[in-house]
Amino acid sequence: MRTLFARPAPPPNAADTSDAVCPPAHPDIAHDLVSRVADAERTWRAPVHQRGAVADAEPAVQDAQALRRIIERLGCWPGRLLVGDAGCEAALVIALNSDHDLNFQITLLRSLHAAIRQGDAATAQWARLYDRCLVRSGRPQQYGTQYRLLDGQIEMCPVADPEALDTLRARAGLPPHQDRRTALERRHLLPDPPTVLLSGSRAA
């Protein structure tokens, strides 16, 4: 683990191939990955206010096991050429939520790093998983991609260099951190309750 976190700089930005319309080499794997994440978005990854009181970790474990089998089958990270943009992003979502096994997440991070060097994934994806591994290991994150819900509010996990945060995010292909915070608040926090006007009163 010490070797992994010794170099916080991301791999070089690969040429963006997202505009190239190419069918994935493994559409069956792509469908499996995307379907798993779609199911998660409706259940255990749904907005916080729509989930049950107790989160069920078992689906995340099952998805992680499926991702492990896929990587063993492919011999590498399921990148754009193999499973398309949507499949590659779905694999990242599963990796980010494999919190039950930090060593597995670190292994996935290395596989993703190799895919980026081949132009088969985005540096922003690597940055998100890198931050996740840092936070899970008790270290401050580099790119400010990891948040937590604390006392009903969205809070960014500790960052190593807050003043350079948006500069680092831009280099990795990530939007400004405030944009991300706003998106998370819209997704996970309930809007303010409607104002109820009593007879003879006026709204402030």
Side-chain angles (χ1 to χ4, degrees):
M1 187 181 302
R2 181 177 301 173
T3 301
L4 170 68
F5 295 116
R7 298 179 180 178
N13 277 297
D16 186 0
T17 60
S18 59
D19 292 335
V21 180
C22 298
H26 295 275
D28 57 327
I29 295 179
H31 177 74
D32 183 22
L33 290 168
V34 172
S35 296
R36 288 179 180 277
V37 172
D39 289 343
E41 295 294 343
R42 291 190 294 267
T43 54
W44 59 274
R45 274 181 54 83
V48 170
H49 58 82
Q50 295 179 7
R51 300 179 199 168
V54 179
D56 184 3
E58 186 58 30
V61 174
Q62 293 174 355
D63 289 343
Q65 292 172 344
L67 180 57
R68 186 191 299 272
R69 292 192 296 268
I70 287 170
I71 291 178
E72 289 175 351
R73 172 182 168 183
L74 297 175
C76 61
W77 178 263
R80 294 166 170 168
L81 296 178
L82 296 175
V83 298
D85 286 333
C88 184
E89 177 65 19
L92 174 68
V93 171
I94 293 173
L96 287 169
N97 288 278
S98 299
D99 289 335
H100 61 285
D101 191 342
L102 177 58
N103 289 330
F104 179 53
Q105 285 180 313
I106 292 173
T107 298
L108 295 175
L109 183 65
R110 292 171 177 155
S111 295
L112 180 54
H113 187 283
I116 292 170
R117 289 195 173 279
Q118 296 174 2
D120 209 20
T123 301
Q125 294 173 320
W126 176 89
R128 290 159 62 192
L129 186 54
Y130 182 73
D131 271 358
R132 188 72 159 217
C133 291
L134 286 171
V135 171
R136 291 271 293 111
S137 64
R139 295 169 168 84
Q141 58 180 328
Q142 292 287 327
Y143 300 96
T145 65
Q146 302 302 301
Y147 287 77
R148 60 192 174 191
L149 188 66
L150 184 65
D151 296 330
Q153 299 296 321
I154 297 292
E155 178 184 90
M156 183 187 294
C157 297
V159 176
D161 189 353
E163 293 184 359
L165 180 57
D166 277 339
T167 298
L168 291 172
R169 288 177 64 90
R171 289 175 182 171
L174 293 164
H177 77 277
Q178 188 57 50
D179 291 355
R180 179 56 178 162
R181 178 191 292 272
T182 299
L184 287 171
E185 289 174 345
R186 288 175 178 171
R187 172 174 170 78
H188 290 290
L189 303 184
L190 284 170
D192 294 333
T195 301
V196 178
L197 297 180
L198 302 178
S199 177
S201 67
R202 294 183 180 181

Short mmCIF file of all heavy atoms in Angstrom, two decimals, residues 26 29 67-79 82 107 110-112 114-115 118:
data_model
loop_
_atom_site.label_atom_id
_atom_site.label_comp_id
_atom_site.label_asym_id
_atom_site.label_seq_id
_atom_site.Cartn_x
_atom_site.Cartn_y
_atom_site.Cartn_z
N HIS A 26 -17.06 -6.69 -26.14
CA HIS A 26 -17.77 -7.67 -25.30
C HIS A 26 -19.11 -7.07 -24.86
O HIS A 26 -19.26 -6.64 -23.71
CB HIS A 26 -16.92 -8.04 -24.08
CG HIS A 26 -15.65 -8.75 -24.42
ND1 HIS A 26 -15.59 -10.11 -24.61
CD2 HIS A 26 -14.39 -8.28 -24.61
CE1 HIS A 26 -14.35 -10.46 -24.90
NE2 HIS A 26 -13.61 -9.37 -24.91
N ILE A 29 -20.65 -8.44 -21.56
CA ILE A 29 -20.07 -7.93 -20.31
C ILE A 29 -20.54 -6.50 -20.08
O ILE A 29 -20.86 -6.12 -18.94
CB ILE A 29 -18.54 -8.00 -20.37
CG1 ILE A 29 -18.09 -9.46 -20.45
CG2 ILE A 29 -17.92 -7.31 -19.15
CD1 ILE A 29 -16.58 -9.64 -20.53
N LEU A 67 -17.37 -8.19 -10.84
CA LEU A 67 -16.31 -7.42 -11.48
C LEU A 67 -14.99 -8.17 -11.42
O LEU A 67 -14.22 -8.17 -12.39
CB LEU A 67 -16.17 -6.06 -10.80
CG LEU A 67 -15.09 -5.12 -11.36
CD1 LEU A 67 -15.30 -4.87 -12.86
CD2 LEU A 67 -15.07 -3.81 -10.58
N ARG A 68 -14.74 -8.85 -10.32
CA ARG A 68 -13.51 -9.64 -10.21
C ARG A 68 -13.48 -10.74 -11.28
O ARG A 68 -12.45 -10.96 -11.94
CB ARG A 68 -13.42 -10.27 -8.82
CG ARG A 68 -12.10 -11.00 -8.54
CD ARG A 68 -12.20 -11.83 -7.27
NE ARG A 68 -12.46 -11.00 -6.11
CZ ARG A 68 -11.52 -10.42 -5.36
NH1 ARG A 68 -10.24 -10.59 -5.67
NH2 ARG A 68 -11.85 -9.70 -4.31
N ARG A 69 -14.63 -11.41 -11.48
CA ARG A 69 -14.69 -12.47 -12.49
C ARG A 69 -14.49 -11.89 -13.90
O ARG A 69 -13.83 -12.50 -14.75
CB ARG A 69 -16.03 -13.20 -12.41
CG ARG A 69 -16.21 -14.03 -11.14
CD ARG A 69 -17.42 -14.95 -11.26
NE ARG A 69 -18.66 -14.19 -11.37
CZ ARG A 69 -19.42 -13.83 -10.34
NH1 ARG A 69 -19.04 -14.14 -9.10
NH2 ARG A 69 -20.55 -13.16 -10.53
N ILE A 70 -15.05 -10.70 -14.13
CA ILE A 70 -14.92 -10.07 -15.44
C ILE A 70 -13.46 -9.74 -15.73
O ILE A 70 -12.96 -9.99 -16.84
CB ILE A 70 -15.80 -8.81 -15.51
CG1 ILE A 70 -17.27 -9.21 -15.60
CG2 ILE A 70 -15.40 -7.92 -16.68
CD1 ILE A 70 -18.23 -8.05 -15.44
N ILE A 71 -12.76 -9.19 -14.76
CA ILE A 71 -11.35 -8.83 -14.96
C ILE A 71 -10.50 -10.08 -15.14
O ILE A 71 -9.56 -10.10 -15.96
CB ILE A 71 -10.85 -7.97 -13.79
CG1 ILE A 71 -11.54 -6.60 -13.84
CG2 ILE A 71 -9.33 -7.81 -13.82
CD1 ILE A 71 -11.17 -5.68 -12.72
N GLU A 72 -10.83 -11.14 -14.43
CA GLU A 72 -10.10 -12.40 -14.62
C GLU A 72 -10.34 -12.93 -16.03
O GLU A 72 -9.41 -13.46 -16.66
CB GLU A 72 -10.56 -13.41 -13.57
CG GLU A 72 -10.08 -13.09 -12.16
CD GLU A 72 -10.65 -14.05 -11.13
OE1 GLU A 72 -11.55 -14.84 -11.49
OE2 GLU A 72 -10.20 -14.00 -9.97
N ARG A 73 -11.55 -12.78 -16.53
CA ARG A 73 -11.87 -13.25 -17.89
C ARG A 73 -11.15 -12.43 -18.95
O ARG A 73 -10.59 -12.98 -19.91
CB ARG A 73 -13.38 -13.19 -18.10
CG ARG A 73 -13.82 -13.48 -19.54
CD ARG A 73 -15.33 -13.36 -19.67
NE ARG A 73 -15.74 -13.35 -21.08
CZ ARG A 73 -17.00 -13.20 -21.49
NH1 ARG A 73 -17.98 -13.07 -20.60
NH2 ARG A 73 -17.29 -13.18 -22.78
N LEU A 74 -11.16 -11.10 -18.77
CA LEU A 74 -10.55 -10.21 -19.76
C LEU A 74 -9.04 -10.11 -19.62
O LEU A 74 -8.34 -9.84 -20.59
CB LEU A 74 -11.17 -8.81 -19.65
CG LEU A 74 -12.66 -8.67 -19.92
CD1 LEU A 74 -13.11 -7.25 -19.65
CD2 LEU A 74 -12.98 -9.08 -21.36
N GLY A 75 -8.56 -10.29 -18.41
CA GLY A 75 -7.13 -10.13 -18.15
C GLY A 75 -6.72 -8.69 -17.97
O GLY A 75 -5.51 -8.39 -17.95
N CYS A 76 -7.70 -7.77 -17.87
CA CYS A 76 -7.40 -6.35 -17.72
C CYS A 76 -8.67 -5.62 -17.29
O CYS A 76 -9.74 -6.23 -17.17
CB CYS A 76 -6.86 -5.78 -19.04
SG CYS A 76 -8.04 -5.91 -20.41
N TRP A 77 -8.53 -4.30 -17.09
CA TRP A 77 -9.68 -3.48 -16.75
C TRP A 77 -10.66 -3.46 -17.92
O TRP A 77 -10.26 -3.36 -19.08
CB TRP A 77 -9.22 -2.05 -16.45
CG TRP A 77 -10.35 -1.11 -16.14
CD1 TRP A 77 -10.96 -0.26 -17.01
CD2 TRP A 77 -11.02 -0.96 -14.89
NE1 TRP A 77 -11.97 0.43 -16.38
CE2 TRP A 77 -12.04 0.02 -15.08
CE3 TRP A 77 -10.88 -1.55 -13.63
CZ2 TRP A 77 -12.88 0.42 -14.04
CZ3 TRP A 77 -11.72 -1.16 -12.60
CH2 TRP A 77 -12.70 -0.19 -12.82
N PRO A 78 -11.98 -3.54 -17.65
CA PRO A 78 -12.97 -3.45 -18.73
C PRO A 78 -13.08 -2.02 -19.24
O PRO A 78 -13.90 -1.23 -18.77
CB PRO A 78 -14.26 -3.93 -18.05
CG PRO A 78 -14.06 -3.67 -16.60
CD PRO A 78 -12.59 -3.83 -16.35
N GLY A 79 -12.22 -1.68 -20.20
CA GLY A 79 -12.14 -0.32 -20.71
C GLY A 79 -13.10 -0.05 -21.85
O GLY A 79 -13.94 -0.87 -22.22
N LEU A 82 -13.37 -2.49 -24.82
CA LEU A 82 -13.91 -3.81 -24.47
C LEU A 82 -15.40 -3.76 -24.14
O LEU A 82 -16.16 -4.63 -24.55
CB LEU A 82 -13.13 -4.40 -23.31
CG LEU A 82 -11.65 -4.71 -23.58
CD1 LEU A 82 -10.96 -5.17 -22.30
CD2 LEU A 82 -11.52 -5.77 -24.66
N THR A 107 -6.09 -3.09 -6.13
CA THR A 107 -5.80 -3.88 -7.33
C THR A 107 -6.54 -3.31 -8.54
O THR A 107 -5.98 -3.20 -9.64
CB THR A 107 -6.21 -5.35 -7.11
OG1 THR A 107 -5.45 -5.89 -6.03
CG2 THR A 107 -5.96 -6.19 -8.36
N ARG A 110 -4.85 -0.16 -9.89
CA ARG A 110 -3.70 -0.43 -10.75
C ARG A 110 -4.14 -0.86 -12.15
O ARG A 110 -3.55 -0.45 -13.15
CB ARG A 110 -2.84 -1.51 -10.10
CG ARG A 110 -2.15 -1.04 -8.81
CD ARG A 110 -1.50 -2.19 -8.09
NE ARG A 110 -0.78 -1.75 -6.89
CZ ARG A 110 -0.54 -2.50 -5.84
NH1 ARG A 110 -0.98 -3.76 -5.82
NH2 ARG A 110 0.12 -2.02 -4.80
N SER A 111 -5.20 -1.67 -12.22
CA SER A 111 -5.70 -2.10 -13.52
C SER A 111 -6.24 -0.91 -14.30
O SER A 111 -6.03 -0.80 -15.51
CB SER A 111 -6.81 -3.15 -13.34
OG SER A 111 -6.30 -4.33 -12.75
N LEU A 112 -6.93 -0.01 -13.61
CA LEU A 112 -7.47 1.17 -14.26
C LEU A 112 -6.34 2.08 -14.74
O LEU A 112 -6.41 2.67 -15.83
CB LEU A 112 -8.38 1.92 -13.28
CG LEU A 112 -9.05 3.19 -13.77
CD1 LEU A 112 -9.82 2.96 -15.05
CD2 LEU A 112 -9.97 3.76 -12.69
N ALA A 114 -3.42 1.17 -15.77
CA ALA A 114 -2.88 0.58 -17.00
C ALA A 114 -3.80 0.87 -18.19
O ALA A 114 -3.33 1.13 -19.31
CB ALA A 114 -2.70 -0.93 -16.82
N ALA A 115 -5.11 0.84 -17.97
CA ALA A 115 -6.06 1.11 -19.05
C ALA A 115 -5.93 2.54 -19.54
O ALA A 115 -6.03 2.82 -20.74
CB ALA A 115 -7.49 0.84 -18.58
N GLN A 118 -3.19 3.16 -21.93
CA GLN A 118 -3.49 2.63 -23.26
C GLN A 118 -4.62 3.42 -23.94
O GLN A 118 -5.08 3.02 -25.01
CB GLN A 118 -3.87 1.16 -23.15
CG GLN A 118 -2.75 0.28 -22.63
CD GLN A 118 -3.18 -1.16 -22.38
OE1 GLN A 118 -4.32 -1.52 -22.63
NE2 GLN A 118 -2.26 -1.98 -21.90
#
